Amino acid sequence: DTGVSQDPRHKITKRGQNVTFRCDPISEHNRLYWYRQTLGQGPEFLTYFQNEAQLEKSRLLSDRFSAERPKGSFSTLEIQRTEQGDSAMYLCASSLEGVETQYFGPGTRLLVL
Amino acid sequence: AQSVTQLDSQVPVFEEAPVELRCNYSSSVSVYLFWYVQYPNQGLQLLLKYLSGSTLVKGINGFEAEFNKSQTSFHLRKPSVHISDTAEYFCAVRKDSNYQLIWGAGTKLIIKP
């Protein structure tokens, strides 16, 4: 069991550029979550997948943000036309249906200049 | 709407002393409660969880927490802290209608030698 992995671990980009992050959940987990964490705050929920279906999206997820999980395994989170306010740690977690615990990856730290 | 309040942003404590990190939540329905720890430059790791049953929950690294329904609290305790416990601790509650976690702002545990 290799745990949840995220790639890249760090990303620096210029305002207006697009970025894409990848999350690989624990292999048998059918639920996948994206959260965003800014300095001094707890994580904030962004979106949630059960298998390939995106079942919930936070109002924090503006139309510049899109997430996919095409085959119910890995997921991508894309941010278009990045803004300085998008600078944060983006966390991915996975869980198994019927089990309450979410397991977190190490996160992708985004800095928008 | 559910919310989680961690009353202290930082808790300094001497090594080998006991510690309590406070967490209160607001919810009109039954909830599941979690404590996660985030060591410097690492991802979130589950310390312990309350789902049902005994209100005293034991977790990893000698931590325990007590669920108090009447006070809507879930305080985290350790009888004797070690320098390696230096980290940020997050309390979270599972939203009743889905699997989204609602998080507190975190408490930094600072161990003084």
Side-chain angles (χ1 to χ4, degrees), chain A residues 41-107:
Chain A
Q41 300 296 322
E44 297 171 294
F45 170 78
L46 292 178
T47 191
Y48 153 59
F49 290 85
Q50 177 154 316
N51 300 310
E52 65 275 10
Q54 188 173 20
L55 296 187
E56 187 170 351
K57 288 171 62 172
S58 164
R59 62 182 181 277
L60 292 174
L61 215 66
S62 75
D63 56 4
R64 297 185 297 106
F65 286 71
S66 62
E68 293 182 342
R69 195 183 183 198
K71 297 182 180 177
S73 57
F74 73 92
S75 175
T76 57
L77 177 68
E78 181 183 16
I79 309 174
Q80 295 182 323
R81 306 180 304 280
T82 52
E83 302 172 356
Q84 287 183 326
D86 297 331
S87 295
M89 176 77 88
Y90 289 84
L91 299 168
C92 177
S94 70
S95 70
L96 186 62
E97 185 172 0
V99 179
E100 301 304 332
T101 302
Q102 295 181 21
Y103 295 87
F104 283 80

Side-chain angles (χ1 to χ4, degrees), chain A residues 37 43 45 56 100-102, chain B residues 36 49 94 98-100:
Chain A
Q37 185 179 20
F45 170 78
E56 187 170 351
E100 301 304 332
T101 302
Q102 295 181 21
Chain B
Y36 281 81
K49 60 188 175 186
R94 202 202 86 177
N98 61 30
Y99 291 86
Q100 176 190 142

